């Protein structure tokens, strides 16, 4: 009990921050899904499976990370394991499902068929999603298995993080195309191109200054 209290006292702010960040990530992801211009690569794959099977998106996101959980532990042990791991695996997908349900009750049925609306939702969703992901990855309280693999590859190969992350993301876009047979939209490409650089940028210009 004393250890738990000590850990909570030391990590309380980061834990609350990562939980809020992951819920917001799911919120912005629901914007991207409704805009239908593409999502992050992992969600792209899950949505392709969802379209074929009808399994809830949140459940598919959790399942994807559960599959990657074993290699994460094998190759990094507990290095990238933490509260952020569980928060990312469980909160983003189900938060997105909840927000999409709420929006379906607020907006008219044809609301997301209008191009200007879709573009606005794409811009807001893409910006918010990437920033939230960059913050969560730099909080250093654990990574989701999907996010940890590029870091593990970087650790073993000593290659720069940004190109490794971009290649990893593009791999899941290809897998999504194989599963769903659908060409990626502009959102998928922008996410794969800018997520890695944004993570590095936030670390370099914000979190590294705090640590120093």
């Amino acid at each position: 009990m004393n250890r738990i209290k000590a850990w909570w006292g030391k990590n309380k702010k980061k834990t609350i921050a990562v939980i809020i960040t992951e819920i917001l990530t799911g919120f912005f992801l629901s914007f991207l899904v409704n805009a239908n211009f593409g999502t992050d690569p992992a969600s792209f794959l899950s949505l392709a499976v969802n379209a074929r099977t009808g399994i809830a998106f949140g459940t598919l996101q959790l399942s994807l990370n559960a599959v990657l959980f074993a290699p994460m532990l094998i190759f990094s042990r507990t290095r990238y394991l933490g509260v952020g791991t569980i928060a990312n695996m469980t909160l983003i997908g189900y938060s997105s499902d909840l927000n999409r349900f709420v929006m379906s009750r607020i907006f008219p049925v044809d609301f997301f068929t209008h191009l200007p609306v879709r573009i606005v939702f794409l811009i807001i969703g893409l910006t918010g999603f990437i920033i939230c992901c960059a913050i969560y990855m730099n909080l250093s309280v654990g990574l989701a298995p999907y996010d940890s693999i590029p870091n593990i590859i970087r650790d073993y190969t000593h290659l720069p993080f940004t190109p490794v992350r971009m290649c990893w993301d593009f791999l899941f876009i290809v897998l999504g195309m194989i599963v769903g047979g659908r060409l990626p939209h502009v959102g998928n490409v922008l996410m794969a191109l800018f997520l890695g650089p944004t993570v590095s940028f936030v670390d370099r210009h914000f979190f590294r200054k705090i640590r120093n």
Side-chain angles (χ1 to χ4, degrees), residues 5-21:
K5 289 182 178 180
W7 180 91
W8 175 249
K10 183 179 179 181
N11 297 281
K12 178 173 64 175
K13 291 183 178 179
K14 284 188 175 182
T15 300
I16 295 173
V18 78
I19 290 173
I20 293 174
T21 299

Side-chain angles (χ1 to χ4, degrees), residues 174-185:
V174 173
L175 291 175
M177 292 172 60
I178 294 173
V179 173
R182 176 182 177 182
L183 293 175
H185 285 294

Side-chain angles (χ1 to χ4, degrees), residues 196-211:
T198 304
V199 172
S200 299
F201 178 85
V202 171
D203 175 56
R204 184 168 59 253
H205 293 282
F206 184 70
F207 281 89
R208 196 172 296 177
K209 291 181 180 180
I210 293 176
R211 288 194 293 266

Side-chain angles (χ1 to χ4, degrees), residues 148-155 157-171 192 196:
S148 71
I149 301 299
N151 288 274
I152 293 171
I153 295 173
R154 178 201 59 192
D155 295 341
T157 64
H158 303 291
L159 292 171
F161 172 78
T162 296
V164 171
R165 176 73 195 212
M166 290 171 65
C167 290
W168 178 248
D169 286 337
F170 274 112
L171 170 63

Side-chain angles (χ1 to χ4, degrees), residues 58 61-62 65-66 69 84-94 144-145:
Q61 287 289 85
L62 178 60
N65 279 291
F69 192 76
T85 306
I86 306 302
N88 185 282
M89 292 175 65
T90 58
L91 293 179
I92 293 180
Y94 291 117

